[in-house]
Amino acid sequence: MELNGISIVIATKGRVKLLEDLLTSVKEARNNFDKLSEVLLIDDSKTEDVLIINEMCQKYDARRIEFGPSVPEKRNVGAREAQYDIVVFLDSDCIATPNLLNEHYKLYTDEKVGGVAGYLEFVGEDTWFWQAVDKTPFTICFSFPKWMDTVPWTPTANCSMRKKVFEEINGFDRSFPNKPGGEDVDLGLRMIKAGYIFKCTADGLVYHSKKTWTPVKAMFRRLWYYGAANYYLVEKHPDYVMKIMPRKTSLFLIGIFGVLVTMIITLNLWLFLTIPLWLICDIMLSAIFINKFASYKGTSFLKQCVVQILILDNEMGYVCKCIQKGKSSYINKDIVYFDGQMNGIQDTSSIMTWCNLLSFLLLVGAVLLIVF
C-alpha cells in the first residue's frame, strides 16, 4: 500500500539549466509540505548531461531513472515507481510556487477526486509572436483552473492524480503517437468515464517559460501534431464527438481540386496562381471578420492573421491524418469536452461561414476572369 505523501514525476531530457531551476523551486515546495515527498526524474539525456543531472539528484534529493524517449511512457514509469499515494506531474521547463504541493494535496478529501488540475501561467518575454499565440485557442487549457471548479482533462505540465486511480485506468495510452498532444486529454476523459473528477486549484500554480513553448518553427510543428492527435481522440472517444460546420481545410481541398481540374481542361497555367492568392485572401478576410464580429476581444490585423494561420496549421494536421487513415468522414467532426468550448465553436462558426463563402466566391470570380 502506498504511503501518504506526494511523488513528483518529471520527464526530462537535457535542459539542465531549466531542470535545476525547477528542482530549486520544488525543494522549497517540499520544505513547505508537512508530509512525505520524493522527486523522480525519468530521463534519457546525453552522457555529458547525465553527469550533471546525477549531481543535481544528490543536491536536491531526487532519484534519476533511465528511460526514454516516449514522454507519456516516461510518466507511466514514474507513476509505477512512485511510493506515495499522490503523483504530481511537472514539466522540466516549469517553476513550482512555494505552496504548490499543499494546494494539490488538500483537495484529495473526497474519494471521487481522482486528480487535481493546477493553474499554469506563462512567463517571460512578451514577444510579438507570443501575443499572437496567446490569442489562439491552444493556450486556454492551461488557465482552466483559474475559472473552473472541475475540468474533463488538464495538461500534464501541472497536474496530479491518485496513484491507485492512475493504475486503475492504466495510465497514459501507449498507442498515441510519440509526438506532443492527445495523451493528456485521453487520460482525463478516461478518468471521468471511470467515475472520478478532476478538481481545479488556481493557487496550485506553476510558471512556464514562454521561450521554450513558442519558437516559431517549433510552434507550427507542435500545433500540427496536436491536430494529428485529435484524430486519435475522435477515434477513441466518439461519445465526445459532434459534427461541426465544414472546416476551412475542407473548402480548400474542394477549391484546389476544382482549380486543378479547370486548369487541366483549359490548359491555362495562370489558374494555378489563384490557389495561393485565395489562401492569402481567406486568411486576411478571417482576420477582419473575427476582429470585427467575434464576441471576445480581438487583436491587431497582422496578429490575427498569424492566429488564423496557426489554427489552419492545426486543422491541416488533423485533416491530413484523417485522409492518411482513410477516415474522410471524420474531417468535419470535432471533439467537444465542455460547454465553454461549444460556446466558442458557435461564436465563430457563423462568422467563418460567411467569411468562407465570400472568399470562395472570390476564387470562382478569379477563375472565371482568367478563363474568359
Side-chain angles (χ1 to χ4, degrees), residues 34-46:
D34 62 2
K35 297 187 182 300
L36 297 170
S37 64
E38 64 176 346
V39 178
L40 303 175
L41 305 181
I42 319 302
D43 179 58
D44 63 329
S45 297
K46 296 178 181 178

Side-chain angles (χ1 to χ4, degrees), residues 13 17 63 86 117 155 162 170 212 218 226 248 252 281 308 345 347 371:
K13 183 172 184 176
K17 177 61 174 69
R63 178 159 66 103
I86 303 300
R162 294 186 190 273
N170 297 315
T212 59
Y226 282 176
K248 190 181 293 292
F252 281 152
C281 179
Q308 296 306 313
I345 291 174
D347 181 40
V371 171

Side-chain angles (χ1 to χ4, degrees), residues 20 56 180 219 221 269 308 361:
E20 182 162 25
M56 289 184 195
M219 190 66 198
R221 185 169 62 247
L269 297 180
Q308 296 306 313
L361 290 175

Side-chain angles (χ1 to χ4, degrees), residues 115-117 149-154 160-161 188 191-192 197-200:
V116 172
D149 182 56
T150 63
V151 287
W153 70 276
T154 186
S160 62
M161 286 188 70
M191 191 188 78
I192 299 302
I197 62 173
F198 243 130
K199 287 286 288 183
C200 291

Side-chain angles (χ1 to χ4, degrees), residues 74-366:
K74 281 181 177 180
R75 294 182 177 125
N76 284 343
V77 169
R80 186 165 61 242
E81 292 290 325
Q83 61 178 319
Y84 299 122
D85 58 335
I86 303 300
V87 180
V88 172
F89 297 103
L90 297 176
D91 277 0
S92 60
D93 51 356
C94 290
I95 298 293
T97 50
N99 214 32
L100 176 69
L101 302 185
N102 288 313
E103 294 298 334
H104 273 268
Y105 202 83
K106 74 180 185 181
L107 292 182
Y108 287 98
T109 54
D110 187 335
E111 285 297 317
K112 284 295 183 182
V113 177
V116 172
Y119 176 41
L120 184 148
E121 181 179 328
F122 285 98
V123 294
E125 185 182 359
D126 202 19
T127 64
W128 190 95
F129 183 64
W130 167 258
Q131 292 171 18
V133 169
D134 202 31
K135 291 294 183 178
T136 69
F138 309 113
T139 58
I140 296 173
C141 58
F142 297 101
S143 60
F144 281 165
K146 194 174 182 179
W147 46 276
M148 297 175 69
D149 182 56
T150 63
V151 287
W153 70 276
T154 186
T156 42
N158 177 21
C159 80
S160 62
M161 286 188 70
R162 294 186 190 273
K163 178 173 179 175
K164 66 178 182 179
V165 172
F166 188 86
E167 292 173 341
E168 179 185 333
I169 63 175
N170 297 315
F172 290 100
D173 188 347
R174 298 160 184 81
S175 69
F176 273 77
N178 188 31
K179 294 292 182 182
E183 73 280 348
D184 48 2
V185 182
D186 171 66
L187 181 78
L189 297 185
R190 284 189 286 115
M191 191 188 78
I192 299 302
K193 290 177 183 180
Y196 300 98
I197 62 173
F198 243 130
K199 287 286 288 183
C200 291
T201 171
D203 295 324
L205 171 67
V206 303
Y207 298 110
H208 192 299
S209 169
K210 295 176 183 176
K211 185 177 180 180
T212 59
W213 212 70
T214 54
V216 176
K217 184 178 179 181
M219 190 66 198
F220 276 93
R221 185 169 62 247
R222 176 185 288 110
L223 293 185
W224 178 281
Y225 287 135
Y226 282 176
N230 235 30
Y231 165 83
Y232 295 96
L233 292 170
V234 168
E235 178 94 335
K236 192 172 180 182
H237 298 282
D239 45 329
Y240 282 88
V241 173
M242 64 168 291
K243 290 185 178 180
I244 60 173
M245 299 293 290
R247 293 180 183 273
K248 190 181 293 292
T249 39
S250 303
L251 297 177
F252 281 152
L253 292 174
I254 294 170
I256 290 170
F257 178 77
V259 169
L260 293 177
V261 169
T262 307
M263 191 169 66
I264 292 170
I265 293 173
T266 63
L267 299 178
N268 191 331
L269 297 180
W270 287 104
L271 287 171
F272 188 78
L273 292 176
T274 63
I275 296 175
L277 291 173
W278 175 40
L279 177 60
I280 293 170
C281 179
D282 188 88
I283 289 170
M284 293 173 67
L285 283 173
S286 298
I288 293 170
F289 275 52
I290 290 295
N291 274 347
K292 181 70 175 176
F293 299 111
S295 61
Y296 59 86
K297 186 178 180 180
T299 184
S300 71
F301 170 72
L302 288 178
K303 285 176 186 171
Q304 189 60 243
C305 285
V306 173
V307 170
Q308 296 306 313
I309 292 170
L310 289 168
I311 292 173
L312 183 60
D313 173 53
N314 176 257
E315 267 197 21
M316 285 299 297
Y318 174 72
V319 170
C320 286
K321 182 60 68 174
C322 291
I323 294 172
Q324 178 189 339
K325 294 291 187 178
K327 294 292 182 70
S328 58
S329 61
Y330 284 14
I331 290 177
N332 291 318
K333 292 182 179 180
D334 209 348
I335 188 159
V336 178
Y337 320 107
F338 63 102
D339 291 341
Q341 183 187 0
M342 189 65 244
N343 293 338
I345 291 174
Q346 291 174 337
D347 181 40
T348 59
S349 61
S350 59
I351 298 171
M352 297 312 295
T353 298
W354 285 104
C355 175
N356 293 337
L357 177 61
L358 179 56
S359 68
F360 195 80
L361 290 175
L362 290 174
L363 171 68
V364 172

Side-chain angles (χ1 to χ4, degrees), residues 24-39:
T24 301
S25 67
V26 166
K27 182 178 181 180
E28 184 178 1
R30 292 175 71 189
N31 289 339
N32 292 332
F33 184 56
D34 62 2
K35 297 187 182 300
L36 297 170
S37 64
E38 64 176 346
V39 178

